[in-house]
Every structure is written in C-alpha cells, then in structure tokens.
Amino acid sequence: MTSAYLIVIFTQQIEANQSFYEALGITFETGQHGDGPIHLSGKLGDMVFELYPTTDADKVTQTRLGLMADNNTTLTESDKQQLNSIADTVHPFDNGQTYLVMTDPDGRSVEFLY
C-alpha cells in the first residue's frame, strides 16, 4: 500500500501563502535541509506540508489541494465566518458540513471541508 507523507508547494509569495494556509489551521516552522533554501514546514494530519520559495514562475503550478478539518478541530463561528469570507464558493451540506472552494495567493484551487 502507498500513502502520502509530503506536499511541497513552490511559491513566489511565501508570506501570503503562509497567512492563507495558517487560516486553514496549519502551523509553520522555519526549516532548512543542508544548503537548501530556508522554507516553511508544517503538519497536515500525518503529512508534512512545506512552502518553498522560488523565483522560477514555472515551479508555481495550478495544483488543486483538498483539505479537511480533522475530528479534533473545533471551529468557532468566527473561524467559519473567516473561512467563508475568503472562499470563492461555499457549499453547505445537509449533514452539517460545509465544503469551500477557495484560491490561494498563487492561484491554486484549494478545497476545504469542515
């Protein structure tokens, strides 16, 4: 069986993306591997989620990410309002969950289910 352990996002707007993904609940720390670039690293469930700076526009892709609040996450009404305010579309489900589609600062489509 194969499972994912790492997502790396290359960006020319690292601070804007840090703020965007922190609003979705990812906490970042600064990291560096050997002589590699200083980057941001956080946890997304059991996966490592990293933001790498780049000056190469070709490395910034139109990847679509799907994220979900875990069962241990309690979103306040204020949290939900903030998420809904940055969403391109908001889709409430009959079961009480909400599915958002939003765009990060580099134009990537990000789905978020809470």
Side-chain angles (χ1 to χ4, degrees):
M1 173 179 222
T2 301
S3 61
Y5 74 95
L6 173 68
I7 295 175
V8 176
I9 300 293
F10 290 93
T11 180
Q12 294 177 325
Q13 303 178 72
I14 198 159
E15 293 86 8
N17 275 286
Q18 178 181 5
S19 295
F20 178 86
Y21 289 103
E22 282 179 342
L24 298 178
I26 300 171
T27 302
F28 292 99
E29 295 180 3
T30 302
Q32 185 174 22
H33 307 291
D35 292 335
I38 295 173
H39 61 278
L40 299 174
S41 181
K43 291 293 281 184
L44 184 60
D46 291 332
M47 275 198 299
V48 175
F49 186 86
E50 294 181 325
L51 298 174
Y52 267 79
T54 185
T55 56
D56 184 352
D58 290 337
K59 282 192 173 185
V60 179
T61 66
Q62 295 302 309
T63 304
R64 186 171 188 143
L65 301 174
L67 308 176
M68 179 173 64
D70 65 23
N71 292 334
N72 298 324
T73 301
T74 303
L75 296 174
T76 66
E77 284 305 312
S78 176
D79 293 334
K80 292 175 184 179
Q81 287 176 359
Q82 179 184 3
L83 288 169
N84 290 354
S85 74
I86 63 173
D88 300 324
T89 59
V90 178
H91 306 280
F93 292 130
D94 291 339
N95 67 1
Q97 289 186 302
T98 302
Y99 169 77
L100 308 175
V101 180
M102 56 193 81
T103 305
D104 81 5
D106 288 318
R108 279 179 285 274
S109 182
V110 179
E111 301 173 12
F112 188 72
L113 180 65
Y114 69 83

PDB file of all heavy atoms in Angstrom, residues 25-60:
ATOM      1  N   GLY A  25      -5.523  26.406   9.437  1.00  0.00           N
ATOM      2  CA  GLY A  25      -5.130  25.626  10.609  1.00  0.00           C
ATOM      3  C   GLY A  25      -3.753  24.991  10.567  1.00  0.00           C
ATOM      4  O   GLY A  25      -3.408  24.208  11.444  1.00  0.00           O
ATOM      5  N   ILE A  26      -2.938  25.318   9.583  1.00  0.00           N
ATOM      6  CA  ILE A  26      -1.586  24.750   9.507  1.00  0.00           C
ATOM      7  C   ILE A  26      -0.616  25.705  10.193  1.00  0.00           C
ATOM      8  O   ILE A  26      -0.573  26.889   9.875  1.00  0.00           O
ATOM      9  CB  ILE A  26      -1.160  24.509   8.046  1.00  0.00           C
ATOM     10  CG1 ILE A  26      -2.139  23.539   7.379  1.00  0.00           C
ATOM     11  CG2 ILE A  26       0.274  23.972   7.982  1.00  0.00           C
ATOM     12  CD1 ILE A  26      -1.938  23.389   5.888  1.00  0.00           C
ATOM     13  N   THR A  27       0.154  25.201  11.139  1.00  0.00           N
ATOM     14  CA  THR A  27       1.157  25.991  11.854  1.00  0.00           C
ATOM     15  C   THR A  27       2.520  25.684  11.246  1.00  0.00           C
ATOM     16  O   THR A  27       2.894  24.515  11.121  1.00  0.00           O
ATOM     17  CB  THR A  27       1.156  25.642  13.350  1.00  0.00           C
ATOM     18  OG1 THR A  27      -0.157  25.877  13.867  1.00  0.00           O
ATOM     19  CG2 THR A  27       2.167  26.470  14.110  1.00  0.00           C
ATOM     20  N   PHE A  28       3.241  26.717  10.895  1.00  0.00           N
ATOM     21  CA  PHE A  28       4.533  26.542  10.215  1.00  0.00           C
ATOM     22  C   PHE A  28       5.710  26.865  11.121  1.00  0.00           C
ATOM     23  O   PHE A  28       5.616  27.717  11.994  1.00  0.00           O
ATOM     24  CB  PHE A  28       4.613  27.453   8.980  1.00  0.00           C
ATOM     25  CG  PHE A  28       3.683  27.059   7.879  1.00  0.00           C
ATOM     26  CD1 PHE A  28       2.468  27.706   7.712  1.00  0.00           C
ATOM     27  CD2 PHE A  28       4.021  26.043   7.005  1.00  0.00           C
ATOM     28  CE1 PHE A  28       1.597  27.351   6.694  1.00  0.00           C
ATOM     29  CE2 PHE A  28       3.158  25.678   5.979  1.00  0.00           C
ATOM     30  CZ  PHE A  28       1.949  26.339   5.828  1.00  0.00           C
ATOM     31  N   GLU A  29       6.813  26.171  10.830  1.00  0.00           N
ATOM     32  CA  GLU A  29       8.109  26.466  11.429  1.00  0.00           C
ATOM     33  C   GLU A  29       9.098  26.640  10.291  1.00  0.00           C
ATOM     34  O   GLU A  29       8.935  26.055   9.217  1.00  0.00           O
ATOM     35  CB  GLU A  29       8.572  25.323  12.324  1.00  0.00           C
ATOM     36  CG  GLU A  29       7.692  25.092  13.539  1.00  0.00           C
ATOM     37  CD  GLU A  29       8.190  23.942  14.405  1.00  0.00           C
ATOM     38  OE1 GLU A  29       9.255  23.346  14.094  1.00  0.00           O
ATOM     39  OE2 GLU A  29       7.499  23.626  15.377  1.00  0.00           O
ATOM     40  N   THR A  30      10.138  27.413  10.538  1.00  0.00           N
ATOM     41  CA  THR A  30      11.187  27.591   9.539  1.00  0.00           C
ATOM     42  C   THR A  30      12.058  26.351   9.498  1.00  0.00           C
ATOM     43  O   THR A  30      12.381  25.779  10.543  1.00  0.00           O
ATOM     44  CB  THR A  30      12.038  28.831   9.891  1.00  0.00           C
ATOM     45  OG1 THR A  30      11.182  29.966   9.960  1.00  0.00           O
ATOM     46  CG2 THR A  30      13.112  29.071   8.844  1.00  0.00           C
ATOM     47  N   GLY A  31      12.436  25.924   8.299  1.00  0.00           N
ATOM     48  CA  GLY A  31      13.290  24.757   8.150  1.00  0.00           C
ATOM     49  C   GLY A  31      14.322  24.959   7.054  1.00  0.00           C
ATOM     50  O   GLY A  31      14.197  25.866   6.231  1.00  0.00           O
ATOM     51  N   GLN A  32      15.327  24.119   7.064  1.00  0.00           N
ATOM     52  CA  GLN A  32      16.344  24.121   6.020  1.00  0.00           C
ATOM     53  C   GLN A  32      17.033  22.772   6.043  1.00  0.00           C
ATOM     54  O   GLN A  32      17.364  22.259   7.111  1.00  0.00           O
ATOM     55  CB  GLN A  32      17.364  25.243   6.252  1.00  0.00           C
ATOM     56  CG  GLN A  32      18.373  25.368   5.131  1.00  0.00           C
ATOM     57  CD  GLN A  32      19.286  26.580   5.325  1.00  0.00           C
ATOM     58  OE1 GLN A  32      19.464  27.083   6.430  1.00  0.00           O
ATOM     59  NE2 GLN A  32      19.874  27.039   4.235  1.00  0.00           N
ATOM     60  N   HIS A  33      17.225  22.182   4.868  1.00  0.00           N
ATOM     61  CA  HIS A  33      17.895  20.895   4.748  1.00  0.00           C
ATOM     62  C   HIS A  33      19.263  21.130   4.104  1.00  0.00           C
ATOM     63  O   HIS A  33      19.339  21.492   2.926  1.00  0.00           O
ATOM     64  CB  HIS A  33      17.074  19.932   3.892  1.00  0.00           C
ATOM     65  CG  HIS A  33      15.653  19.794   4.357  1.00  0.00           C
ATOM     66  ND1 HIS A  33      15.305  19.169   5.539  1.00  0.00           N
ATOM     67  CD2 HIS A  33      14.492  20.228   3.810  1.00  0.00           C
ATOM     68  CE1 HIS A  33      13.997  19.208   5.684  1.00  0.00           C
ATOM     69  NE2 HIS A  33      13.477  19.855   4.662  1.00  0.00           N
ATOM     70  N   GLY A  34      20.313  20.977   4.890  1.00  0.00           N
ATOM     71  CA  GLY A  34      21.657  21.191   4.359  1.00  0.00           C
ATOM     72  C   GLY A  34      21.823  22.605   3.837  1.00  0.00           C
ATOM     73  O   GLY A  34      21.500  23.576   4.517  1.00  0.00           O
ATOM     74  N   ASP A  35      22.287  22.721   2.590  1.00  0.00           N
ATOM     75  CA  ASP A  35      22.482  24.021   1.965  1.00  0.00           C
ATOM     76  C   ASP A  35      21.248  24.476   1.184  1.00  0.00           C
ATOM     77  O   ASP A  35      21.297  25.465   0.454  1.00  0.00           O
ATOM     78  CB  ASP A  35      23.684  23.978   1.000  1.00  0.00           C
ATOM     79  CG  ASP A  35      25.006  23.801   1.728  1.00  0.00           C
ATOM     80  OD1 ASP A  35      25.081  24.182   2.910  1.00  0.00           O
ATOM     81  OD2 ASP A  35      25.956  23.285   1.105  1.00  0.00           O
ATOM     82  N   GLY A  36      20.124  23.736   1.315  1.00  0.00           N
ATOM     83  CA  GLY A  36      18.903  24.075   0.596  1.00  0.00           C
ATOM     84  C   GLY A  36      18.306  25.385   1.084  1.00  0.00           C
ATOM     85  O   GLY A  36      18.769  25.984   2.057  1.00  0.00           O
ATOM     86  N   PRO A  37      17.255  25.824   0.425  1.00  0.00           N
ATOM     87  CA  PRO A  37      16.652  27.100   0.791  1.00  0.00           C
ATOM     88  C   PRO A  37      15.922  27.038   2.140  1.00  0.00           C
ATOM     89  O   PRO A  37      15.413  25.988   2.529  1.00  0.00           O
ATOM     90  CB  PRO A  37      15.655  27.353  -0.341  1.00  0.00           C
ATOM     91  CG  PRO A  37      15.328  25.998  -0.858  1.00  0.00           C
ATOM     92  CD  PRO A  37      16.576  25.179  -0.691  1.00  0.00           C
ATOM     93  N   ILE A  38      15.880  28.151   2.813  1.00  0.00           N
ATOM     94  CA  ILE A  38      15.068  28.269   4.016  1.00  0.00           C
ATOM     95  C   ILE A  38      13.616  28.240   3.557  1.00  0.00           C
ATOM     96  O   ILE A  38      13.231  28.908   2.602  1.00  0.00           O
ATOM     97  CB  ILE A  38      15.397  29.565   4.769  1.00  0.00           C
ATOM     98  CG1 ILE A  38      16.846  29.507   5.278  1.00  0.00           C
ATOM     99  CG2 ILE A  38      14.426  29.795   5.915  1.00  0.00           C
ATOM    100  CD1 ILE A  38      17.343  30.795   5.896  1.00  0.00           C
ATOM    101  N   HIS A  39      12.814  27.429   4.223  1.00  0.00           N
ATOM    102  CA  HIS A  39      11.420  27.237   3.824  1.00  0.00           C
ATOM    103  C   HIS A  39      10.551  27.105   5.072  1.00  0.00           C
ATOM    104  O   HIS A  39      11.048  27.162   6.192  1.00  0.00           O
ATOM    105  CB  HIS A  39      11.292  25.988   2.940  1.00  0.00           C
ATOM    106  CG  HIS A  39      11.715  24.736   3.624  1.00  0.00           C
ATOM    107  ND1 HIS A  39      13.045  24.351   3.725  1.00  0.00           N
ATOM    108  CD2 HIS A  39      11.009  23.785   4.272  1.00  0.00           C
ATOM    109  CE1 HIS A  39      13.130  23.228   4.405  1.00  0.00           C
ATOM    110  NE2 HIS A  39      11.897  22.847   4.758  1.00  0.00           N
ATOM    111  N   LEU A  40       9.251  26.940   4.866  1.00  0.00           N
ATOM    112  CA  LEU A  40       8.318  26.759   5.972  1.00  0.00           C
ATOM    113  C   LEU A  40       7.789  25.341   5.947  1.00  0.00           C
ATOM    114  O   LEU A  40       7.482  24.800   4.888  1.00  0.00           O
ATOM    115  CB  LEU A  40       7.156  27.750   5.859  1.00  0.00           C
ATOM    116  CG  LEU A  40       7.560  29.218   5.914  1.00  0.00           C
ATOM    117  CD1 LEU A  40       6.352  30.115   5.653  1.00  0.00           C
ATOM    118  CD2 LEU A  40       8.176  29.544   7.267  1.00  0.00           C
ATOM    119  N   SER A  41       7.662  24.753   7.125  1.00  0.00           N
ATOM    120  CA  SER A  41       7.220  23.368   7.236  1.00  0.00           C
ATOM    121  C   SER A  41       6.152  23.265   8.318  1.00  0.00           C
ATOM    122  O   SER A  41       6.293  23.842   9.391  1.00  0.00           O
ATOM    123  CB  SER A  41       8.418  22.485   7.588  1.00  0.00           C
ATOM    124  OG  SER A  41       8.036  21.138   7.676  1.00  0.00           O
ATOM    125  N   GLY A  42       5.081  22.534   8.013  1.00  0.00           N
ATOM    126  CA  GLY A  42       4.011  22.322   8.978  1.00  0.00           C
ATOM    127  C   GLY A  42       3.473  20.911   8.846  1.00  0.00           C
ATOM    128  O   GLY A  42       3.898  20.145   7.983  1.00  0.00           O
ATOM    129  N   LYS A  43       2.535  20.571   9.707  1.00  0.00           N
ATOM    130  CA  LYS A  43       1.913  19.250   9.657  1.00  0.00           C
ATOM    131  C   LYS A  43       0.495  19.390   9.136  1.00  0.00           C
ATOM    132  O   LYS A  43      -0.244  20.287   9.521  1.00  0.00           O
ATOM    133  CB  LYS A  43       1.881  18.624  11.056  1.00  0.00           C
ATOM    134  CG  LYS A  43       3.246  18.251  11.590  1.00  0.00           C
ATOM    135  CD  LYS A  43       3.906  17.139  10.820  1.00  0.00           C
ATOM    136  CE  LYS A  43       3.361  15.793  11.217  1.00  0.00           C
ATOM    137  NZ  LYS A  43       3.990  14.664  10.588  1.00  0.00           N
ATOM    138  N   LEU A  44       0.141  18.478   8.276  1.00  0.00           N
ATOM    139  CA  LEU A  44      -1.203  18.372   7.725  1.00  0.00           C
ATOM    140  C   LEU A  44      -1.635  16.947   8.002  1.00  0.00           C
ATOM    141  O   LEU A  44      -1.341  16.036   7.236  1.00  0.00           O
ATOM    142  CB  LEU A  44      -1.167  18.682   6.228  1.00  0.00           C
ATOM    143  CG  LEU A  44      -2.472  18.712   5.468  1.00  0.00           C
ATOM    144  CD1 LEU A  44      -3.400  19.773   6.039  1.00  0.00           C
ATOM    145  CD2 LEU A  44      -2.218  19.000   3.997  1.00  0.00           C
ATOM    146  N   GLY A  45      -2.261  16.738   9.175  1.00  0.00           N
ATOM    147  CA  GLY A  45      -2.521  15.377   9.631  1.00  0.00           C
ATOM    148  C   GLY A  45      -1.183  14.711   9.889  1.00  0.00           C
ATOM    149  O   GLY A  45      -0.338  15.242  10.611  1.00  0.00           O
ATOM    150  N   ASP A  46      -0.955  13.562   9.257  1.00  0.00           N
ATOM    151  CA  ASP A  46       0.326  12.865   9.390  1.00  0.00           C
ATOM    152  C   ASP A  46       1.331  13.289   8.327  1.00  0.00           C
ATOM    153  O   ASP A  46       2.455  12.811   8.313  1.00  0.00           O
ATOM    154  CB  ASP A  46       0.107  11.347   9.301  1.00  0.00           C
ATOM    155  CG  ASP A  46      -0.640  10.815  10.519  1.00  0.00           C
ATOM    156  OD1 ASP A  46      -0.515  11.415  11.594  1.00  0.00           O
ATOM    157  OD2 ASP A  46      -1.348   9.801  10.367  1.00  0.00           O
ATOM    158  N   MET A  47       0.910  14.156   7.421  1.00  0.00           N
ATOM    159  CA  MET A  47       1.787  14.586   6.332  1.00  0.00           C
ATOM    160  C   MET A  47       2.541  15.858   6.681  1.00  0.00           C
ATOM    161  O   MET A  47       2.059  16.691   7.444  1.00  0.00           O
ATOM    162  CB  MET A  47       0.975  14.860   5.058  1.00  0.00           C
ATOM    163  CG  MET A  47       0.731  13.655   4.235  1.00  0.00           C
ATOM    164  SD  MET A  47       0.252  14.073   2.549  1.00  0.00           S
ATOM    165  CE  MET A  47      -1.230  14.971   2.816  1.00  0.00           C
ATOM    166  N   VAL A  48       3.688  16.005   6.062  1.00  0.00           N
ATOM    167  CA  VAL A  48       4.455  17.245   6.143  1.00  0.00           C
ATOM    168  C   VAL A  48       3.985  18.126   4.994  1.00  0.00           C
ATOM    169  O   VAL A  48       3.857  17.669   3.853  1.00  0.00           O
ATOM    170  CB  VAL A  48       5.971  16.953   6.041  1.00  0.00           C
ATOM    171  CG1 VAL A  48       6.762  18.249   5.996  1.00  0.00           C
ATOM    172  CG2 VAL A  48       6.424  16.074   7.196  1.00  0.00           C
ATOM    173  N   PHE A  49       3.718  19.388   5.275  1.00  0.00           N
ATOM    174  CA  PHE A  49       3.265  20.362   4.288  1.00  0.00           C
ATOM    175  C   PHE A  49       4.279  21.491   4.275  1.00  0.00           C
ATOM    176  O   PHE A  49       4.484  22.153   5.300  1.00  0.00           O
ATOM    177  CB  PHE A  49       1.877  20.881   4.676  1.00  0.00           C
ATOM    178  CG  PHE A  49       1.257  21.784   3.663  1.00  0.00           C
ATOM    179  CD1 PHE A  49       0.535  21.269   2.599  1.00  0.00           C
ATOM    180  CD2 PHE A  49       1.375  23.161   3.775  1.00  0.00           C
ATOM    181  CE1 PHE A  49      -0.061  22.104   1.666  1.00  0.00           C
ATOM    182  CE2 PHE A  49       0.790  24.007   2.852  1.00  0.00           C
ATOM    183  CZ  PHE A  49       0.070  23.473   1.792  1.00  0.00           C
ATOM    184  N   GLU A  50       4.962  21.694   3.138  1.00  0.00           N
ATOM    185  CA  GLU A  50       6.032  22.682   3.088  1.00  0.00           C
ATOM    186  C   GLU A  50       5.765  23.739   2.030  1.00  0.00           C
ATOM    187  O   GLU A  50       5.229  23.447   0.962  1.00  0.00           O
ATOM    188  CB  GLU A  50       7.371  22.000   2.802  1.00  0.00           C
ATOM    189  CG  GLU A  50       7.810  21.080   3.920  1.00  0.00           C
ATOM    190  CD  GLU A  50       9.143  20.426   3.672  1.00  0.00           C
ATOM    191  OE1 GLU A  50       9.473  20.094   2.513  1.00  0.00           O
ATOM    192  OE2 GLU A  50       9.875  20.228   4.666  1.00  0.00           O
ATOM    193  N   LEU A  51       6.171  24.959   2.350  1.00  0.00           N
ATOM    194  CA  LEU A  51       6.144  26.081   1.420  1.00  0.00           C
ATOM    195  C   LEU A  51       7.589  26.441   1.107  1.00  0.00           C
ATOM    196  O   LEU A  51       8.356  26.780   2.018  1.00  0.00           O
ATOM    197  CB  LEU A  51       5.435  27.290   2.038  1.00  0.00           C
ATOM    198  CG  LEU A  51       3.971  27.111   2.414  1.00  0.00           C
ATOM    199  CD1 LEU A  51       3.456  28.357   3.142  1.00  0.00           C
ATOM    200  CD2 LEU A  51       3.124  26.833   1.182  1.00  0.00           C
ATOM    201  N   TYR A  52       7.961  26.319  -0.165  1.00  0.00           N
ATOM    202  CA  TYR A  52       9.317  26.617  -0.601  1.00  0.00           C
ATOM    203  C   TYR A  52       9.325  27.875  -1.453  1.00  0.00           C
ATOM    204  O   TYR A  52       8.526  27.991  -2.392  1.00  0.00           O
ATOM    205  CB  TYR A  52       9.880  25.467  -1.440  1.00  0.00           C
ATOM    206  CG  TYR A  52      10.663  24.459  -0.654  1.00  0.00           C
ATOM    207  CD1 TYR A  52      10.022  23.485   0.100  1.00  0.00           C
ATOM    208  CD2 TYR A  52      12.056  24.479  -0.664  1.00  0.00           C
ATOM    209  CE1 TYR A  52      10.737  22.556   0.820  1.00  0.00           C
ATOM    210  CE2 TYR A  52      12.787  23.545   0.057  1.00  0.00           C
ATOM    211  CZ  TYR A  52      12.127  22.590   0.797  1.00  0.00           C
ATOM    212  OH  TYR A  52      12.840  21.672   1.504  1.00  0.00           O
ATOM    213  N   PRO A  53      10.244  28.800  -1.158  1.00  0.00           N
ATOM    214  CA  PRO A  53      10.346  29.990  -2.005  1.00  0.00           C
ATOM    215  C   PRO A  53      10.988  29.644  -3.347  1.00  0.00           C
ATOM    216  O   PRO A  53      11.850  28.764  -3.429  1.00  0.00           O
ATOM    217  CB  PRO A  53      11.257  30.913  -1.188  1.00  0.00           C
ATOM    218  CG  PRO A  53      12.116  29.985  -0.391  1.00  0.00           C
ATOM    219  CD  PRO A  53      11.234  28.789  -0.082  1.00  0.00           C
ATOM    220  N   THR A  54      10.530  30.303  -4.394  1.00  0.00           N
ATOM    221  CA  THR A  54      11.140  30.125  -5.704  1.00  0.00           C
ATOM    222  C   THR A  54      11.040  31.430  -6.476  1.00  0.00           C
ATOM    223  O   THR A  54      10.111  32.213  -6.251  1.00  0.00           O
ATOM    224  CB  THR A  54      10.485  28.992  -6.510  1.00  0.00           C
ATOM    225  OG1 THR A  54      11.210  28.807  -7.738  1.00  0.00           O
ATOM    226  CG2 THR A  54       9.033  29.291  -6.841  1.00  0.00           C
ATOM    227  N   THR A  55      11.995  31.662  -7.349  1.00  0.00           N
ATOM    228  CA  THR A  55      11.914  32.800  -8.271  1.00  0.00           C
ATOM    229  C   THR A  55      11.518  32.318  -9.655  1.00  0.00           C
ATOM    230  O   THR A  55      11.301  33.116 -10.550  1.00  0.00           O
ATOM    231  CB  THR A  55      13.265  33.548  -8.350  1.00  0.00           C
ATOM    232  OG1 THR A  55      14.285  32.621  -8.734  1.00  0.00           O
ATOM    233  CG2 THR A  55      13.623  34.168  -7.001  1.00  0.00           C
ATOM    234  N   ASP A  56      11.421  31.010  -9.834  1.00  0.00           N
ATOM    235  CA  ASP A  56      11.080  30.390 -11.113  1.00  0.00           C
ATOM    236  C   ASP A  56       9.559  30.241 -11.233  1.00  0.00           C
ATOM    237  O   ASP A  56       8.957  29.393 -10.584  1.00  0.00           O
ATOM    238  CB  ASP A  56      11.760  29.021 -11.201  1.00  0.00           C
ATOM    239  CG  ASP A  56      11.557  28.336 -12.534  1.00  0.00           C
ATOM    240  OD1 ASP A  56      10.756  28.824 -13.366  1.00  0.00           O
ATOM    241  OD2 ASP A  56      12.202  27.298 -12.753  1.00  0.00           O
ATOM    242  N   ALA A  57       8.948  31.072 -12.070  1.00  0.00           N
ATOM    243  CA  ALA A  57       7.491  31.049 -12.237  1.00  0.00           C
ATOM    244  C   ALA A  57       7.000  29.689 -12.720  1.00  0.00           C
ATOM    245  O   ALA A  57       5.861  29.304 -12.453  1.00  0.00           O
ATOM    246  CB  ALA A  57       7.049  32.139 -13.202  1.00  0.00           C
ATOM    247  N   ASP A  58       7.840  28.925 -13.418  1.00  0.00           N
ATOM    248  CA  ASP A  58       7.439  27.607 -13.916  1.00  0.00           C
ATOM    249  C   ASP A  58       7.242  26.604 -12.779  1.00  0.00           C
ATOM    250  O   ASP A  58       6.564  25.593 -12.951  1.00  0.00           O
ATOM    251  CB  ASP A  58       8.458  27.062 -14.907  1.00  0.00           C
ATOM    252  CG  ASP A  58       8.455  27.822 -16.216  1.00  0.00           C
ATOM    253  OD1 ASP A  58       7.416  28.457 -16.542  1.00  0.00           O
ATOM    254  OD2 ASP A  58       9.475  27.809 -16.916  1.00  0.00           O
ATOM    255  N   LYS A  59       7.851  26.839 -11.621  1.00  0.00           N
ATOM    256  CA  LYS A  59       7.684  25.917 -10.493  1.00  0.00           C
ATOM    257  C   LYS A  59       6.364  26.134  -9.759  1.00  0.00           C
ATOM    258  O   LYS A  59       5.941  25.308  -8.982  1.00  0.00           O
ATOM    259  CB  LYS A  59       8.843  26.058  -9.506  1.00  0.00           C
ATOM    260  CG  LYS A  59      10.105  25.375  -9.956  1.00  0.00           C
ATOM    261  CD  LYS A  59      11.094  25.304  -8.817  1.00  0.00           C
ATOM    262  CE  LYS A  59      12.279  24.468  -9.211  1.00  0.00           C
ATOM    263  NZ  LYS A  59      13.202  24.276  -8.100  1.00  0.00           N
ATOM    264  N   VAL A  60       5.722  27.279  -9.978  1.00  0.00           N
ATOM    265  CA  VAL A  60       4.430  27.564  -9.341  1.00  0.00           C
ATOM    266  C   VAL A  60       3.364  26.940 -10.233  1.00  0.00           C
ATOM    267  O   VAL A  60       3.148  27.360 -11.348  1.00  0.00           O
ATOM    268  CB  VAL A  60       4.201  29.082  -9.185  1.00  0.00           C
ATOM    269  CG1 VAL A  60       2.845  29.365  -8.556  1.00  0.00           C
ATOM    270  CG2 VAL A  60       5.321  29.694  -8.347  1.00  0.00           C
TER     271      VAL A  60
END
